[in-house]
Amino acid sequence: MTFLGYKWNKEEFPLFRNFTLYSEIPKALRELAEINEKLIKIDIIGCSFEGRPLYLATLSDEKGMSCLDEYRRFMVQAVRDPDRALKALEEGVEQKVPVFINAGIHGNEITGTEGVLMLMEKLLTGENDPEVKEILESTVILINICANPDGRVKCTPSSNGVDLNRDYLTQSQPEIQAIVKHVAIQWFPSVVVDLHGYFGDQNVTIDGCTMPHNPNYEYDLVGIPGIEEAKVMADEIRESLGLEVDIPALKVSEGWDDYGPVFTAQYFMYLGALSHTVEVKHPNQEGTLTAAEAVWGALKYVAKNREKILRNQIEVFYRGVHGLTGEKKDLFPFAYLIPLDENLQRNSLEGAKMINHLLNNGIQVKKALHSFNAGGRDFPGQTYIVPMHQGLRGLINTMLWSGEDLSLTVKAMYDVSVYSFPQMAGFDVYPIWEEFTVNWEEVRTAPRLKGVFLGKNNGSLNTYALPADNNDAVKAANILLKEGYSVNRVKKSFLDLVPGTFLIRGNEALHYRLKELTENYYIQVRSLDATAGAGVFEGNTMPIRFKKTAVVGENFGVCQAMKEMGFDVCFVEYTQLNKGFDLAEHGFEALILAGTETGIWRDPFLDELGIGFGLHYALVERGRQQLIKFVQAGHDFIGIGYAGAKLNEEAGILDIGYSFTSDAATGFMPESINAKQSAENGLCIINANPEDPLTFSYGTKEKVYVFGPVWYYKIPREVKIAASFGEGNFYEKGFWLNPELAAGKPVIVSGTKGAQKIVLMGLDPAFRCYIPATYRLLANALYFLGS
């Protein structure tokens, strides 16, 4: 049938009638600007992963629009010098409140963009409306019109396979990087509203959140006043639309917490903002009006409480600068030290990346000009210092601390319960609790590390060793493999080469190519003499090659991380599989499936809430059958978490049992209704076999992060165990109610069925791009498939 076929052959998903396609947004913005050009400015602040513009609209009254730089500078300076800012407020400075509205960060939650366009029209046409006048006189309104252009075009939640609303602390995606650069650290918004959906027949929901609250917030200044503002927003929706609104903090005790620092609203709380996630009921006109009225209520609250909001936010900065801790005496150290000296640092590469990340978030970093002693330890000159007496103290601490155990505090958590860059990226940081003195200089740019090349040119045949001890080593090895060089891995110790070491052979050109790579990658390369090199290649190595691998998943991160490392991976959307996309016909040789139960084996938005409207958040049965068919046909397979174990079971590949976390309550999460698996998560210890190809370069007592962990039992003789959870008290920080059930149990295993290779992992090594320390586990698995 070709009837009306032209309507469905366009690039964009055909949204419901009266909703704005992404391609129609520029015209809509031009038409809005033409209403009153003196009150609005439209900027392109970056591009999405696929290259689509990100539009930021700025609105205020005429005077405000002429003084934007002045208002922005006041906020930036308040972070560094809150005393001066507070004094200016006392003296009556005319400072407007910056308000940030974020719309459509999940691409299939389409009502937010419609709501802000409606809001903008009201503001631009309301010259004679006293409420509009008061709002524009009090605020600078910053609107991210469509936070996820790629997702809106495809009507999918994610962009590049990564959930943007779980990326604010990691900032792995260009859409989030743009907001941090052009909004967060340029304006330090005092109020944030993030527009979402959908809750179906449940009530509209607006943050404030339940316990536990992250201790790194100044909750009395951002949480409690946030509930006050949420009440005004809720009243606006009730009065205008007659809808009931829930504020979780006032309804339930736990399960809709603001603990995880990875979300839009929660990230901005560290900047002193009153922040709200708004969940509307349905993707329809009512949902659009709900989004608009929620923002309108927030703006009305700001107009009535301008000075109080600004004063509270600056007080957050004041406490940081002056080191005021109140009851949090044991929470904030005097400083964090990040040395890059290899005698004090296990991963200088990730340490240097952390310094860059801190700078990108407006955090002050210093560098010691000489050696010094702090905390009873000697540190060399050039050590990087992050002083904690600064305005963004809470953001620093939530990035660099080691976390806490919440398992005895609550029975339900919404999502992430621990985040620690040092633990999850695998570098050393030193919290120093006692004051110390050292001469330092302010750091403006992060250090650029270079590798080391040790060796000589042996002429026509050269063999070089590249230890696989960091992620740059994998990137460099994959570059060489793509360029046609012979790349092998040591499979058992030989001379002083440990298993997993890359061995590269080539002619004279290889010598110079490796020297080039050490200029751009933090790797150590050394040449082997011709005799040793030949001996190593005889029986002690395994060749590697790439397999074209499809990545399917609900927790994301896998495709981005492995693509950055140079593997031949491609993210396949649920929507494609649900339409019958055949992986084998499209040339895929292997599959990675990663995720929990929800989203793969169950679509709660259809099954429980009944609000899918065809906008599937998950695989449906047709999509699942495509995966089963592919695996049953003998294609290699890496199964991660519950989703991977379930696919192995459904396809009847390895006869192995599996268990998973299921003890936490569902809390206030509608998508967790009837869920078998609970999303418990945390930092724990695994013991890995460094001689197994899946765990090359890892060993005993390795610290890892797990989310919705799975462990295996009834292991057949032919299945190899590469890693197990530690014995005894292996779990350390986070939220895991009964970790003892997994103690000592296998967590990474492999097997074969004929020529087919299968890897099962009970932890997700690239979960949401949070865990660079375990990326190489997944790289090992991909090499294993191609060996």
Side-chain angles (χ1 to χ4, degrees):
M1 179 181 293
T2 59
F3 179 64
L4 293 183
Y6 70 93
K7 286 185 175 290
W8 314 110
N9 291 331
K10 295 179 180 179
E11 176 191 18
E12 296 184 79
F13 184 94
L15 300 178
F16 306 125
R17 186 177 180 184
N18 294 332
F19 277 84
T20 306
L21 296 177
Y22 172 80
S23 61
E24 297 169 338
I25 288 175
K27 180 183 177 183
L29 294 177
R30 287 195 300 270
E31 291 175 350
L32 285 168
E34 288 169 359
I35 295 172
N36 193 334
E37 295 181 346
K38 295 179 181 179
L39 304 185
I40 185 171
K41 180 168 75 86
I42 306 294
D43 294 300
I44 294 175
I45 59 170
C47 290
S48 68
F49 176 76
E50 294 180 2
R52 297 182 177 92
L54 296 163
Y55 298 101
L56 182 72
T58 306
L59 295 91
S60 190
D61 62 6
E62 286 190 36
K63 182 177 181 181
M65 294 303 293
S66 67
C67 299
L68 291 178
D69 284 343
E70 179 181 334
Y71 299 138
R72 184 188 61 77
R73 282 195 298 270
F74 178 90
M75 298 304 297
V76 172
Q77 291 169 359
V79 177
R80 289 212 169 196
D81 192 352
D83 294 86
R84 181 179 176 184
L86 288 171
K87 183 179 180 182
L89 283 181
E90 290 173 3
E91 295 174 349
V93 66
E94 188 178 329
Q95 171 65 25
K96 295 183 187 292
V97 178
V99 178
F100 175 51
I101 315 300
N102 198 49
I105 197 168
H106 290 146
N108 56 349
E109 297 174 8
I110 56 180
T111 48
T113 293
E114 301 304 315
V116 297
L117 293 174
M118 184 180 293
L119 172 77
M120 291 165 65
E121 184 177 20
K122 183 172 184 176
L123 291 169
L124 294 168
T125 58
E127 295 179 359
N128 300 318
D129 185 329
E131 281 189 345
V132 171
K133 186 174 185 294
E134 185 178 24
I135 286 169
L136 292 178
E137 285 178 349
S138 305
T139 61
V140 174
I141 305 169
L142 307 156
I143 303 177
N144 189 11
I145 304 296
C146 179
N148 185 351
D150 302 343
R152 192 173 184 89
V153 165
K154 294 178 284 190
C155 205
T156 58
S158 68
S159 170
N160 185 30
V162 175
D163 187 334
L164 297 180
N165 198 41
R166 307 292 192 274
D167 192 51
Y168 257 93
L169 204 63
T170 314
Q171 298 160 23
S172 68
Q173 302 304 303
E175 296 91 341
I176 304 305
Q177 293 164 7
I179 292 302
V180 171
K181 180 178 180 180
H182 296 284
V183 176
I185 66 170
Q186 288 294 316
W187 280 99
F188 293 95
S190 307
V191 170
V192 173
V193 180
D194 190 30
L195 298 172
H196 286 260
Y198 307 101
F199 269 27
D201 291 334
Q202 296 197 157
N203 295 335
V204 175
T205 299
I206 302 175
D207 294 353
C209 295
T210 65
M211 294 285 285
H213 306 299
N214 196 305
N216 293 302
Y217 301 133
E218 302 295 334
Y219 190 75
D220 61 315
L221 298 175
V222 298
I224 294 173
I227 294 174
E228 180 182 316
E229 183 178 45
K231 290 178 181 178
V232 176
M233 297 164 67
D235 288 343
E236 193 71 25
I237 294 169
R238 291 189 189 102
E239 293 170 9
S240 300
L241 302 174
L243 298 175
E244 285 303 310
V245 180
D246 289 334
I247 299 171
L250 305 180
K251 184 174 182 178
V252 294
S253 61
E254 57 188 37
W256 189 270
D257 57 87
D258 51 15
Y259 194 91
V262 300
F263 306 95
T264 308
Q266 280 59 55
Y267 171 81
F268 280 95
M269 288 174 72
Y270 291 106
L271 309 187
L274 309 183
S275 295
H276 309 278
T277 300
V278 177
E279 300 279 2
V280 307
K281 289 164 67 71
H282 295 289
N284 56 17
Q285 190 68 5
E286 180 187 82
T288 295
L289 291 168
T290 303
E293 295 294 349
V295 177
W296 192 250
L299 293 173
K300 287 172 64 174
Y301 179 85
V302 173
K304 299 296 185 185
N305 296 276
R306 180 191 71 88
E307 187 172 340
K308 173 185 173 182
I309 291 169
L310 287 170
R311 186 176 299 279
N312 279 356
Q313 183 178 24
I314 297 169
E315 176 67 20
V316 171
F317 307 145
Y318 180 90
R319 290 180 185 178
V321 167
H322 291 281
L324 304 180
T325 59
E327 297 178 357
K328 303 177 181 180
K329 293 180 180 179
D330 298 325
L331 182 63
F332 302 116
F334 177 73
Y336 284 101
L337 306 186
I338 307 177
L340 299 185
D341 185 293
E342 291 186 356
N343 293 319
L344 294 169
Q345 182 58 259
R346 59 188 153 137
N347 195 326
S348 299
L349 175 65
E350 296 301 332
K353 288 181 178 180
M354 188 70 237
I355 293 161
N356 185 63
H357 195 61
L358 292 165
L359 294 172
N360 286 343
N361 282 269
I363 292 166
Q364 299 172 54
V365 181
K366 315 291 185 179
K367 185 166 64 174
L369 297 177
H370 54 81
S371 60
F372 63 102
N373 186 279
R377 183 189 293 266
D378 292 328
F379 291 89
Q382 307 299 305
T383 293
Y384 289 85
I385 303 167
V386 187
M388 289 296 283
H389 285 195
Q390 54 177 297
L392 301 182
R393 172 183 67 177
L395 180 60
I396 299 168
N397 214 50
T398 206
M399 287 181 172
L400 296 180
W401 74 331
S402 60
E404 58 183 346
D405 183 16
L406 301 168
S407 303
L408 299 178
T409 305
V410 291
K411 297 297 182 184
M413 292 284 292
Y414 181 78
D415 196 82
V416 169
S417 59
V418 64
Y419 201 115
S420 167
F421 276 97
Q423 306 288 346
M424 296 160 82
F427 66 92
D428 290 307
V429 64
Y430 297 82
I432 304 299
W433 298 91
E434 304 84 14
E435 188 170 349
F436 63 92
T437 57
V438 63
N439 294 323
W440 62 31
E441 63 182 4
E442 182 134 6
V443 176
R444 303 293 182 185
T445 58
R448 181 175 174 271
L449 302 183
K450 294 183 179 182
V452 176
F453 183 81
L454 300 172
K456 57 185 179 180
N457 188 346
N458 292 318
S460 60
L461 183 61
N462 291 280
T463 303
Y464 298 90
L466 168 60
D469 53 7
N470 65 27
N471 293 341
D472 267 10
V474 176
K475 293 178 183 179
N478 285 347
I479 289 171
L480 294 167
L481 189 60
K482 288 179 180 178
E483 292 177 355
Y485 291 102
S486 171
V487 182
N488 287 253
R489 301 192 81 184
V490 174
K491 64 181 181 181
K492 58 183 180 180
S493 297
F494 181 85
L495 297 177
D496 60 348
L497 302 174
V498 299
T501 301
F502 295 105
L503 293 177
I504 306 103
R505 270 190 152 184
N507 57 21
E508 188 173 4
L510 175 61
H511 177 87
Y512 298 103
R513 183 69 180 105
L514 286 169
K515 291 187 73 173
E516 289 178 351
L517 289 173
T518 57
E519 288 294 311
N520 296 298
Y521 295 90
Y522 189 63
I523 56 177
Q524 293 188 2
V525 182
R526 64 185 177 94
S527 64
L528 304 177
D529 65 55
T531 303
V536 169
F537 272 82
E538 293 176 4
N540 294 302
T541 67
M542 50 194 292
I544 57 174
R545 73 174 186 91
F546 296 134
K547 283 195 170 183
K548 184 178 180 181
T549 303
V551 176
V552 179
E554 156 263 329
N555 277 321
F556 316 110
V558 169
C559 190
Q560 165 105 2
M562 294 302 101
K563 190 170 287 187
E564 287 181 354
M565 284 186 150
F567 289 98
D568 186 7
V569 294
C570 180
F571 185 68
V572 180
E573 299 274 3
Y574 293 160
T575 51
Q576 294 173 276
L577 291 164
N578 289 341
K579 295 174 184 176
F581 183 88
D582 189 295
L583 296 174
E585 287 182 3
H586 287 80
F588 288 104
E589 303 171 89
L591 167 69
I592 300 175
L593 177 65
T596 56
E597 175 205 15
T598 299
I600 305 285
W601 299 100
R602 193 175 63 92
D603 186 348
F605 293 91
L606 288 177
D607 300 341
E608 278 87 32
L609 300 181
I611 58 169
F613 288 88
L615 312 182
H616 296 302
Y617 289 71
L619 282 176
V620 296
E621 184 59 24
R622 187 182 186 191
R624 291 191 283 267
Q625 287 301 320
Q626 290 299 320
L627 300 182
I628 292 170
K629 180 178 74 170
F630 183 78
V631 173
Q632 286 181 334
H635 296 285
D636 291 348
F637 163 53
I638 300 172
I640 297 173
Y642 179 99
K646 183 68 172 177
L647 178 58
N648 174 73
E649 179 183 50
E650 292 287 322
I653 308 300
L654 296 181
D655 184 17
I656 184 172
Y658 64 98
S659 295
F660 48 88
T661 50
S662 59
D663 299 307
T666 59
F668 200 69
M669 297 172 63
E671 63 264 36
S672 65
I673 297 170
N674 297 327
K676 293 180 181 178
Q677 184 183 28
S678 51
E680 292 159 76
N681 63 97
L683 294 166
C684 58
I685 298 297
I686 66 169
N687 292 318
N689 177 3
E691 296 184 352
D692 190 294
L694 296 181
T695 45
F696 282 162
S697 79
Y698 293 87
T700 59
K701 297 184 179 179
E702 296 281 359
K703 188 167 293 186
V704 300
Y705 173 79
V706 295
F707 188 98
V710 169
W711 53 98
Y712 307 105
Y713 62 90
K714 294 182 181 177
I715 309 294
R717 183 176 299 176
E718 63 273 16
V719 171
K720 294 177 61 180
I721 299 172
S724 299
F725 284 119
E727 302 283 351
N729 297 323
F730 73 98
Y731 158 74
E732 295 186 351
K733 305 286 180 66
F735 174 68
W736 190 346
L737 294 182
N738 292 298
E740 66 276 4
L741 297 176
K745 299 295 193 298
V747 67
I748 301 175
V749 300
S750 66
T752 59
K753 189 174 183 179
Q756 183 182 25
K757 293 181 179 178
I758 305 97
V759 177
L760 297 179
M761 293 181 160
L763 57 88
D764 186 340
F767 179 78
R768 298 180 185 166
C769 298
Y770 291 176
I771 335 169
T774 50
Y775 283 3
R776 283 174 289 119
L777 287 173
L778 194 50
N780 284 339
L782 285 167
Y783 286 137
F784 171 73
L785 298 189
S787 63

